[in-house]
Amino acid sequence: MSRTDVLEKLVSLSKRRGFIFQSSEIYGGTGSVWDYGPLGVELKKNLKDRWWHAMVRSRDDVEGLDAAILMHPRTWEASGHVAGFTDPLVDCKACKGRFRADKLEDARCPRKPSRQPGQHADCELTEPRNFNLMFKTFMGPVEESAATVYLRPETAQGIFVNFLNVQQARRQKVPFGIAQIGKAFRNEITPGNFIFRTREFEQMEMQFFVDPGQPAGGRTDMEWFEYWKAARMEWHLALGLERERLHFHQHGPQELAHYARAAFDIQFDFGGTLGFQEIEGVHHRSDFDLSRHQEYSGKKLEYVDQVANRRYVPFVIETSVGADRTTLAVLANGYREEAVPGEPDGRTVLGLIPALAPVKAGIFPLTKKDGQPEMATRIAEALRPLFPVEYDDSGSIGKRYRRQDEIGTPFCVTVDGESAASDSVTVRHRDSLQQERVGVDALVGWIAARVR
Ligand code: GAP
């Protein structure tokens, strides 16, 4: 199967099997906003847990944070979002479509989808105007400009404004980082491609504060940049994303923000017309953000190095990855349809690594007699407090395997005719289809060793 239609297949699988639903579907849906269903929420949570573990729990130089979505409006003036977080927008007076002026070649004319907007005889495009992507709302009961607040368009600013709180409370020394996972909102003009570009999404961001002048923690600022670039690529590879579908894209002079010293995106090949797209940015942001917050708040945001008797505003190396976009990458990477001997319909498989799989094991009785359902139920109940497992006794064993393959369950445990006498079960591996016999007493350890 080509990669071209994988996104369409994933939309359908996600709805059918409870990964992702369109938001407010019964009202006709909300544009480019999605709800995670029972399996999707587990998958995304597993992904976020892995990030949190790699970036916070397993390190003593990165601290966690959960900052509020609503921030003081001056934050967004300091960050540059009020003035500059805009896309050029054009309207078509004829069809009422709205398009990004700088991405017209990627857009389709709603009345003639083989052409881009502006190429149909009746198109009437307006001049481009800047459209700010931040969602505005009001704090308190009065809807006036003095009460305007924004839904944050990135989580990073919550980290910058808490830089000294965290550093002092945790007695951290530069270099150190602050990490958080949270919702961000952007009123994208051209969202789309399922959960790739949405108006409400989750980011996992880490800002690593380094000495701007001298090596600290054994590395210069640029060496820390290289360190994080490599570490983040390794993290994506450990999710099971195929090496040839991942690469770095370096920001050229046109893309690089004026304050940035260097910036690379980690791109994943989603296939089809989407192709290679950014899933994470690794940016050297110099001292831009802290200096701006210092200027706009009037509060010093300097780090005091008591040993060297120096004070300075640190440079920041940022790693910023989308939880939803990476979830989509994991789904696209794992989706496959393949032939199975003796089964005309073949099977659909989500080849997720066991640690990400929403269900770790399907538990089946081979038949509904000889005490097999009772024994399988006992096994499922013993495993459930430790791992998400699913008991299933409906339909043929082949059908039950297929159901689990399609949601990415790595193991299926079957209680069969030998189980009662030998106190053992067969365990079938999703990818190799190999089966092995495992003692019931050893089952917890057997699964634990493979899913963590
Ligand atoms: N603080 C830096 C920052 O926000 P970004 O490149 O705008 O950088 C970082 O966003 C990541 O957030 C992207 O690589 C992507 O994974 C995710 N992201 C950004 N906009 C998104 C959207 N509209 N929908 C889904 N994910 C998005």
Side-chain angles (χ1 to χ4, degrees):
M1 185 191 53
S2 84
R3 286 179 188 161
T4 318
D5 47 5
V6 166
L7 282 199
E8 267 171 47
K9 303 241 182 194
L10 286 175
V11 174
S12 141
L13 172 82
S14 293
K15 177 169 159 74
R16 197 173 65 249
R17 300 307 313 275
F19 280 90
I20 299 164
F21 308 120
Q22 197 181 7
S23 163
S24 320
E25 192 188 72
I26 60 166
Y27 290 103
T30 313
S32 290
V33 185
W34 298 88
D35 296 341
Y36 284 75
L39 298 187
V41 70
E42 285 288 336
L43 170 60
K44 185 153 76 138
K45 185 176 180 307
N46 291 341
L47 185 87
K48 291 188 289 184
D49 286 349
R50 272 178 86 82
W51 186 87
W52 193 256
H53 183 79
M55 300 298 279
V56 182
R57 288 262 168 86
S58 64
R59 308 185 61 106
D60 63 0
D61 60 353
V62 179
E63 303 285 350
L65 181 74
D66 184 9
I69 288 173
L70 299 176
M71 299 182 69
H72 194 287
R74 288 278 281 168
T75 307
W76 306 109
E77 291 171 30
S79 68
H81 284 83
V82 170
F85 195 54
T86 56
D87 278 339
L89 169 76
V90 292
D91 294 288
C92 178
K93 287 185 183 162
C95 72
K96 310 290 177 224
R98 294 188 134 186
F99 313 97
R100 265 181 72 166
D102 57 338
K103 297 269 170 135
L104 278 184
E105 65 282 5
D106 300 337
R108 297 294 102 206
C109 170
R111 287 176 307 171
K112 187 124 177 104
S114 60
R115 305 262 175 91
Q116 68 183 57
Q119 290 184 337
H120 187 276
D122 298 334
C123 288
E124 250 191 281
L125 297 188
T126 59
E127 284 300 307
R129 64 193 161 91
N130 280 336
F131 172 78
N132 196 298
L133 302 187
M134 283 197 295
F135 282 96
K136 267 186 204 171
T137 186
F138 302 97
M139 183 86 96
V142 192
E143 291 196 11
E144 58 175 41
S145 60
T148 300
V149 289
Y150 301 94
L151 300 188
R152 66 181 176 197
E154 62 172 13
T155 59
Q157 301 303 325
I159 291 180
F160 294 129
V161 299
N162 278 295
F163 159 66
L164 276 190
N165 281 340
V166 174
Q167 186 263 317
Q168 288 166 0
R170 299 292 298 153
R171 295 184 295 117
Q172 278 286 358
K173 293 189 173 47
V174 165
F176 77 97
I178 306 177
Q180 74 169 326
I181 299 177
K183 289 265 184 172
F185 304 83
R186 295 184 190 177
N187 200 1
E188 301 277 3
I189 299 171
T190 49
N193 289 310
F194 195 24
I195 53 170
F196 177 78
R197 180 170 286 110
T198 54
R199 294 194 166 105
E200 175 178 340
F201 55 97
E202 262 183 299
Q203 289 187 314
M204 308 187 283
E205 295 201 290
M206 193 276 310
Q207 324 298 132
F208 200 73
F209 301 94
V210 300
D211 191 316
Q214 298 173 7
R219 294 183 176 91
T220 63
D221 58 321
M222 279 316 290
E223 285 166 352
W224 275 116
F225 177 74
E226 291 301 328
Y227 167 89
W228 280 112
K229 232 180 94 192
R232 295 306 306 146
M233 180 59 97
E234 282 308 311
W235 185 81
H236 288 284
L237 288 166
L239 294 180
L241 299 184
E242 289 167 45
R243 195 173 282 273
E244 70 271 15
R245 294 179 76 170
L246 283 168
H247 69 203
F248 284 112
H249 161 77
Q250 182 171 15
H251 285 212
Q254 303 301 321
E255 279 173 282
L256 203 60
H258 65 90
Y259 51 80
R261 301 270 164 126
F264 280 79
D265 294 336
I266 296 176
Q267 295 189 331
F268 173 76
D269 183 6
F270 288 90
T273 48
L274 204 50
F276 274 97
Q277 296 288 342
E278 171 189 344
I279 51 177
E280 169 152 11
V282 183
H283 304 146
H284 185 319
R285 298 181 61 96
S286 71
D287 61 1
F288 174 77
D289 308 274
L290 291 181
S291 299
R292 293 274 292 196
H293 285 301
Q294 199 167 248
E295 182 188 334
Y296 278 70
S297 67
K299 299 273 171 5
K300 284 249 173 281
L301 289 176
E302 288 175 337
Y303 172 72
V304 180
D305 181 341
Q306 280 162 346
V307 179
N309 199 20
R310 291 166 58 229
R311 39 194 325 139
Y312 56 83
V313 176
F315 278 178
V316 168
I317 312 297
E318 169 183 79
T319 71
S320 174
V321 56
D324 311 270
R325 213 174 266 189
T326 310
T327 299
L328 184 62
V330 160
L331 288 169
N333 184 79
Y335 185 90
R336 59 181 200 267
E337 292 171 3
E338 59 190 26
V340 182
E343 290 208 25
D345 295 337
R347 66 173 188 155
T348 299
V349 186
L350 264 189
L352 305 174
I353 59 166
L356 288 183
V359 176
K360 307 302 182 196
I363 315 289
F364 314 146
L366 185 60
T367 67
K368 286 191 179 167
K369 49 186 196 199
D370 302 332
Q372 290 177 12
E374 291 76 10
M375 185 172 176
T377 302
R378 277 198 305 278
I379 291 173
E381 279 169 5
L383 293 176
R384 194 163 288 122
L386 305 166
F387 325 101
V389 297
E390 204 166 277
Y391 175 87
D392 189 0
D393 62 9
S394 83
S396 70
I397 194 79
K399 278 217 174 80
R400 287 180 260 165
Y401 283 152
R402 299 295 160 262
R403 275 185 214 128
Q404 297 301 326
D405 290 343
E406 202 182 35
I407 62 170
T409 306
F411 308 110
C412 288
V413 172
T414 303
V415 170
D416 56 20
E418 281 179 43
S419 293
S422 61
D423 203 27
S424 66
V425 289
T426 58
V427 183
R428 175 255 200 195
H429 295 245
R430 176 195 67 208
D431 295 327
S432 65
L433 301 176
Q434 305 251 303
Q435 306 212 6
E436 63 182 286
R437 210 136 193 113
V438 178
V440 171
D441 286 352
L443 196 56
V444 165
W446 192 98
I447 298 176
R450 287 161 181 81
V451 302
R452 292 218 173 106

